[in-house]
Amino acid sequence: MVLGAALVAGAAFATNYSLWINGRTGGGVAGNYADFTYWGPAGTAAGVNKKAVNWDGYSHVSDKNYLVRNALDCYCTGSNWCYIAVHSAGNLQIGYTLSLYGGTARYKKNASPASDGSCANSDGTTQTGWNIKWVDVAAGAAGGSELANAGDWALSEPLVSDLKTGTARAMYDHNNTRSKIFYLWAGAKGTLYSGILPGQDDEAVAYHSAGGVSGSGGGSYCNPSDWFCNDLTLGTAPAEGGTAKWSNHSVVFRDDAEAYNHYTNGNWQGTVGLVRADMVNYAK
């Protein structure tokens, strides 16, 4: 009976969380998991027990990645599990984290963060990696952006050098997701000034990046209605022309109507709005 009571008590403390990792420009206070400034009103539903994993969106991914690891340690260890949602360069952050640190020993934490976003050990034991159900990606920048290549963004930002297509694609092994599925939403409401981006784009990243297409450089991929470049396929299948997507990357939304751009506009907009709806429906 004592053993049974202990099992029931352990199950009672198992909790699911929804972690949101921002992209370029940041906005929320690092370590404050209740600050959704980057995304929109904090009261908006965005998955079970939502937490904002804030980083400055300015520094090199490697310099601020500890903030992501802190959040995963806090909420995704022990008996707790996480759903992850990311936007733009947040895709680089979670991919980098899983590839480089997803096989390391992590202390189980108590999910009660200090002001710096770190949590204390719960029982002194460790586990390998984190308890992650899946990753939702809005306008993913894991493949970089030609706007960074061309200097269309401030060259003084360390993150911009990370977002160059060659740098982003070589930063870590994008195929090594630790068996976590990355579900991708790719927008296509580009404008004339984003003509430097190949194929369809959302004004900041092209389909080759948002669609998880592998390779050392960015290819040109489009909607089926465009006759002049290869299609970005849905699901995990290779893009038209035969180039594979990264392992465990699946396109669930391709913006055939060209209706969604890159930006949240402080109100959960763009493809982030579609990901938010998915988190509300399935992150429970």
Side-chain angles (χ1 to χ4, degrees), residues 199-227:
Q200 306 286 168
D201 67 84
D202 65 4
E203 298 185 31
V205 295
Y207 267 6
H208 70 78
S209 181
V213 183
S214 67
S216 58
S220 180
Y221 299 96
C222 297
N223 294 324
S225 59
D226 192 326
W227 294 353

Side-chain angles (χ1 to χ4, degrees), residues 76-108:
C76 319
T77 56
S79 60
N80 298 332
W81 283 78
C82 289
Y83 303 92
I84 310 295
V86 304
H87 178 230
S88 192
N91 187 186
L92 276 176
Q93 281 286 12
I94 192 61
Y96 181 95
T97 304
L98 292 178
S99 180
L100 274 65
Y101 298 97
T104 62
R106 316 304 304 179
Y107 278 102
K108 298 172 186 176

